[in-house]
Amino acid sequence: MNFRYDFVPTPLGDALVVFSDDGVVSFDLSEGQDPTVPWLLEGVARRLHTVPEPDPGAADELAHLIEEYFDGVPIRFDEHIRLDWRLIEGFHRDALLAVCEIPWGQTLGYGEVAVLAGSPGAARAVGTACRLTPFSIIVPVHRVVRADGSAGQYGAHPEHKRFLIDLESSSAAARTA
């Protein structure tokens, strides 16, 4: 299996994208300003047990989709790109697959996602799946909110989650007006 990587610019910072022969393995927004910092690639390499090779331009199609997304186009990424789920399994994978079903501009609570994933009462496990997702933004874990409707966390950047929710809800409202 070959693994390669490229970067995709977003308004939230550049994202490291790792590809396998089967699709996108990881889409990770850097916690810092510079996605080329070694620890970001090292973390993915550790999980894959190999170091991906640089492949400039490999993420061009995804970059175009990301640009459309941030322009307010309701993109469901898993309908346009293949995802390689090798880094997440079991209930966490089931939860993330359920998250993919949350429509653009809408949110569900962690408990509601647990029901959709077939495990009522597993709201905390849904939270863990959202935290562990290897597919930031392209699996819309930002659409999963607390039972009281508040946004909650999004890695170290809850303001990113609020930005994504607001982007989608304002775009959805504009489309129906």
Side-chain angles (χ1 to χ4, degrees):
M1 179 68 59
N2 295 311
F3 296 98
R4 56 201 195 290
Y5 71 92
D6 194 7
F7 297 97
V8 170
T10 83
L12 303 176
D14 288 349
L16 171 68
V17 186
V18 177
F19 298 89
S20 73
D21 298 334
D22 296 329
V24 175
V25 174
S26 176
F27 183 91
D28 194 359
L29 287 169
S30 173
E31 294 294 322
Q33 293 299 316
D34 183 2
T36 63
V37 292
W39 62 263
L40 193 59
L41 186 58
E42 287 172 5
V44 176
R46 192 174 318 107
R47 294 176 71 194
L48 293 172
H49 306 289
T50 189
V51 178
E53 296 293 323
D55 190 3
D60 288 353
E61 177 185 356
L62 181 54
H64 176 72
L65 291 169
I66 289 289
E67 183 178 339
E68 286 185 345
Y69 171 86
F70 280 103
D71 283 344
V73 177
I75 300 285
R76 182 168 167 168
F77 291 96
D78 64 335
E79 292 178 348
H80 297 277
I81 59 170
R82 291 182 326 190
L83 299 177
D84 179 340
W85 292 88
R86 75 180 62 235
L87 295 179
I88 197 121
E89 50 192 28
F91 176 75
H92 293 148
R93 182 175 177 172
D94 294 342
L96 294 178
L97 288 167
V99 166
C100 288
E101 300 301 321
I102 303 172
W104 170 276
Q106 296 182 27
T107 59
L108 288 180
Y110 293 98
E112 293 170 302
V113 173
V115 170
L116 287 176
S119 294
R124 286 179 169 257
V126 170
T128 300
C130 290
R131 183 175 52 80
L132 296 176
T133 184
F135 306 116
S136 181
I137 298 176
I138 60 178
V139 168
V141 296
H142 56 275
R143 296 180 190 155
V144 184
V145 297
R146 294 178 174 159
D148 66 4
S150 63
Q153 296 297 309
Y154 191 70
H157 298 281
E159 71 278 8
H160 289 179
K161 185 172 188 173
R162 175 51 47 204
F163 176 83
L164 296 169
I165 290 171
D166 291 347
L167 168 82
E168 291 184 14
S169 62
S170 64
S171 175
R175 290 184 186 287
T176 59

